[in-house]
Amino acid sequence: MKNKKLSRWSSKFILLGVFVWNMCSSIITTAQAAIVKNIVIVHGAFADASGWQAVYAELTKHGFVVTLVQNPCKSLKADVDATNIALDKVDGPAILVGHSWGGTVITQAGVHPKVAALVYVNGFQPEVGENTVKLASSAPPKPENGLLPPDEKGNIFYDKAKFHAGFCADVSRQMADFMYASSGYIPVEAFETPVTEAAWKSKPTFGISSNGDKSINPVITLNGYKRSKSIITRMEGSHVVFMTHPKEVAAVIMAAATKVSK
């Protein structure tokens, strides 16, 4: 009789132990699922994703999974579509990063349900109904700015004579020449298309503004960041601060991931 009672108690303790173990495992799994480890980066106009190599190296070194969107810079829709395809493929919540024109793109694409937070790097941050042209003209351009008027086909190029000083003053001349050779163009229609979503209204938002940015007057980016109540980081560096200060830029992205992880 005594042995039967002990056996029943033993069974109850075993069942309780299994229950507790399953509960703890469930809690751990849920916590791990909420930790943001995915980073999706959208490059700007007159550039491509390869410029983010040093930031990629820094982020992956810390265990993040990085996706670099090769958005075509043909239209707002095309770039948002490319970004959404990348977001669809990640296996959990992501930090969405946008540089320059990429800021306009992530403002629209950032409403994707997998986006946990936004990071703007010298990025445009429009309100619903605003377009990139409106923001770009909201403060005087720097003398070094080399953005040319649209050509006869409606495409915008960057002035070769101003590219180094205006776009990437803190890289070598050799690197600037290579970057210009691959800079391409963007249709003015892309800059003229207003956003219909403003993800920064509903997602935690971080903004980096470079004091030495000659392509977008820092007044423009700072005004946008202040309007959205972004967490602002000021840095030295040119428009392509992610190339010359990759550790600092990566640190802001990682801080965004830490802030929204649970």
Side-chain angles (χ1 to χ4, degrees):
M1 191 74 173
K2 186 177 180 180
N3 288 338
K4 286 184 179 179
K5 286 183 178 179
L6 285 173
S7 177
R8 284 198 298 268
W9 278 108
S10 296
S11 298
K12 289 179 180 179
F13 277 121
I14 290 169
L15 289 172
L16 180 61
V18 170
F19 175 76
V20 171
W21 171 259
N22 287 337
M23 285 292 292
C24 289
S25 298
S26 175
I27 290 168
I28 291 168
T29 302
T30 302
Q32 288 174 337
I35 294 173
V36 180
K37 281 294 183 181
N38 295 300
I39 312 294
V40 176
I41 298 173
V42 181
H43 67 78
F46 315 113
D48 62 27
S50 63
W52 287 82
Q53 184 176 4
V55 173
Y56 167 88
E58 192 67 24
L59 291 170
T60 54
K61 183 174 72 177
H62 286 86
F64 289 91
V65 179
V66 182
T67 300
L68 297 160
V69 182
Q70 287 288 20
N71 43 306
C73 291
K74 297 303 180 190
S75 68
L76 178 59
K77 182 181 185 305
D79 283 11
V80 169
D81 286 348
T83 304
N84 282 331
I85 289 170
L87 288 166
D88 287 342
K89 292 293 185 182
V90 299
D91 62 356
I95 304 300
L96 184 58
V97 182
H99 170 242
S100 190
W101 154 252
T104 299
V105 177
I106 71 169
T107 297
Q108 181 79 27
V111 295
H112 192 288
K114 287 185 181 176
V115 174
L118 306 165
V119 177
Y120 290 79
V121 182
N122 292 329
F124 292 111
Q125 200 179 78
E127 169 66 280
V128 171
E130 290 181 343
N131 61 26
T132 304
V133 170
K134 179 179 179 179
L135 292 182
S137 58
S138 63
K142 297 289 185 178
E144 298 89 345
N145 185 303
L147 208 63
L148 295 170
D151 66 8
E152 68 281 0
K153 295 182 178 179
N155 295 320
I156 299 175
F157 292 81
Y158 209 99
D159 187 346
K160 182 178 182 179
K162 290 188 170 184
F163 191 83
H164 191 191
F167 197 80
C168 51
D170 45 2
V171 306
S172 69
R173 167 62 69 179
Q174 184 179 21
M175 175 60 77
D177 289 346
F178 173 77
M179 290 169 65
Y180 177 79
S182 61
S183 63
Y185 65 91
I186 187 167
V188 68
E189 183 183 356
F191 284 171
E192 291 175 339
T193 304
V195 298
T196 58
E197 304 280 0
W200 50 263
K201 289 186 172 183
S202 59
K203 306 287 175 84
T205 303
F206 297 72
I208 295 172
S209 182
S210 296
N211 296 328
D213 190 349
K214 306 300 183 184
S215 285
I216 301 176
N217 189 328
V219 170
I220 297 170
T221 51
L222 288 171
N223 284 343
Y225 300 163
K226 289 171 184 175
R227 175 172 65 179
S228 66
K229 296 180 172 58
S230 300
I231 296 174
I232 300 172
T233 302
R234 301 293 301 273
M235 293 186 188
E236 297 303 321
S238 71
H239 189 58
V240 294
V241 65
F242 53 91
M243 294 181 67
T244 53
H245 296 77
K247 288 186 177 181
E248 293 90 336
V249 171
V252 173
I253 297 170
M254 289 188 286
T258 299
K259 185 173 180 63
V260 298
S261 293
K262 298 176 182 177

